[in-house]
Amino acid sequence: MTLSACGDRQSTLNVAGEDAAAIATLFWVMLAGAVVLWLGMNGLFFYLSRVAPGAFPDRLVRPLLIGGGIVLPTVILATLLVWSLTMLPDQRAPDDGLRVKVTGEQWWWRVEYWPEGAEAPVVTANEIRLPVGSRTGFELDAHKVIHSFWIPALGGKMDMFPGRTTYVSLRPEKTGTFRGQCAEFCGASHAWMAFETVVLPPDDFEAWLAAEARDATPPEGDAARRGAALFAAEGCGACHTVRGTEAVGQVGPDLTHVGSRLTLGAGRIGATLDDFAAWVEHTGALKPEVKMPAYDHLSDGQLADLAAYLKGLE
């Protein structure tokens, strides 16, 4: 039970990046120092109260108070402070050619990729993919309320403020899938404001980014085509964008390739056909105070058709 959180994909101790490694080193050194201090203080207390109780010689009181109560803590704390400042990861270091703009919404993440030299971003939502071995810069802002961007396995957190851009950079060193989370209380669905971070080999990342920049896949099959028609008839395009179609809404997440994402609702549920149908039918129940209305007036067949269309957007 003591080590149950050490290997999770949302753990600072599950080190997968250069910046997270520095933070983990700080943690272990500070923890070791705290343990030594705890053992020393309690050992001294035990010795004086149990092993050698009695009056303490006056000639030793002043040196003990000054040396043990002032000089020693000052030296130790100053040494730890200087060392920790030199160990802090440089999370404001410049990127290696890839910059990602992330906007904290209520309660989801708007993500825009800006490769070096790009004239327009590659837009997605609620999921971040990064190349391993390269430092990626993140430009962070927020809409309406303060959020905080944090991928524990890759590095430290950075607050996101409305009307102000903050910057953080991360350098992943392991491939895999790691969970990110908003670390600043931002409202009713704060706990459900997460995202998956997928770290890929550089070639796989470039292939994914090229595919993500393309327009949506046309619906295949009768169910998906009925779902596309229902998507348009219900006015979903007023809030969502599906590139290559008439849906150009900017209020909600971009759905151009939503079928290839690992979760729905910013980490709220999975991304199976049943999950798509459940999300559309019970949005507010799954994510309190979300702006998207629940389409519980749709029949089971209509929900299945809409799920087939959305899942096909890969």
Side-chain angles (χ1 to χ4, degrees):
M1 191 184 334
T2 303
L3 300 176
S4 61
C6 293
D8 188 73
R9 60 198 183 93
Q10 187 181 328
S11 172
T12 302
L13 302 181
N14 180 22
V15 175
E18 182 181 276
D19 308 282
I23 294 172
T25 299
L26 282 170
F27 168 78
W28 288 117
V29 171
M30 294 297 183
L31 178 62
V35 170
V36 171
L37 178 62
W38 185 87
L39 291 174
M41 290 298 298
N42 283 278
L44 182 61
F45 178 79
F46 180 81
Y47 176 80
L48 293 176
S49 62
R50 299 290 183 180
V51 179
F56 202 71
D58 290 341
R59 60 186 177 80
L60 297 179
V61 171
R62 188 178 297 276
L64 181 63
L65 289 177
I66 296 176
I70 299 175
V71 177
L72 185 62
T74 300
V75 171
I76 292 175
L77 292 177
T79 301
L80 285 175
L81 176 62
V82 172
W83 175 80
S84 63
L85 290 176
T86 61
M87 277 293 298
L88 284 175
D90 186 9
Q91 292 193 172
R92 291 191 57 83
D95 60 79
D96 290 335
L98 175 65
R99 186 159 292 203
V100 182
K101 180 180 179 181
V102 181
T103 303
E105 305 280 355
Q106 288 180 289
W107 286 270
W108 59 280
W109 309 86
R110 191 187 302 272
V111 183
E112 301 176 12
Y113 290 83
W114 287 89
E116 191 171 18
E119 296 182 357
V122 177
V123 181
T124 182
N126 295 330
E127 191 169 292
I128 292 173
R129 303 207 178 196
L130 301 173
V132 70
S134 297
R135 183 164 290 276
T136 299
F138 292 88
E139 293 182 351
L140 309 173
D141 64 8
H143 184 223
K144 289 190 175 180
V145 301
I146 296 174
H147 299 282
S148 189
F149 179 83
W150 189 28
I151 311 172
L154 299 184
K157 64 186 73 171
M158 178 63 72
D159 282 349
M160 312 165 79
F161 304 95
R164 174 184 169 188
T165 299
T166 52
Y167 176 84
V168 66
S169 66
L170 299 172
R171 187 180 187 274
E173 294 183 323
K174 293 181 182 178
T175 59
T177 302
F178 309 97
R179 191 174 189 268
Q181 175 69 45
C182 176
E184 181 79 29
F185 180 71
C186 54
S189 285
H190 162 69
W192 297 120
M193 188 173 173
F195 59 94
E196 298 291 346
T197 304
V198 183
V199 181
L200 301 168
D203 291 344
D204 291 350
F205 172 77
E206 292 297 333
W208 171 84
L209 190 62
E212 193 72 13
R214 301 187 189 111
D215 288 345
T217 304
E220 297 181 359
D222 293 339
R225 283 189 282 271
R226 290 194 300 268
L230 186 61
F231 184 90
E234 291 291 331
C236 302
C239 292
H240 297 284
T241 291
V242 179
R243 293 193 301 276
T245 74
E246 295 182 356
V248 293
Q250 298 295 316
V251 177
D254 187 298
L255 300 181
T256 303
H257 299 293
V258 66
S260 62
R261 294 174 196 161
L262 301 178
T263 66
L264 299 176
R268 179 62 180 91
I269 56 176
T272 66
L273 285 171
D274 289 341
D275 290 328
F276 273 101
W279 174 257
V280 172
E281 185 178 12
H282 304 294
T283 316
L286 290 169
K287 202 151 193 178
E289 297 186 15
V290 71
K291 293 180 180 179
M292 178 177 167
Y295 287 80
D296 50 7
H297 62 280
L298 298 178
S299 67
D300 290 344
Q302 289 175 312
L303 289 169
D305 291 341
L306 194 53
Y309 170 61
L310 294 172
K311 184 62 178 173
L313 294 175
E314 296 183 343

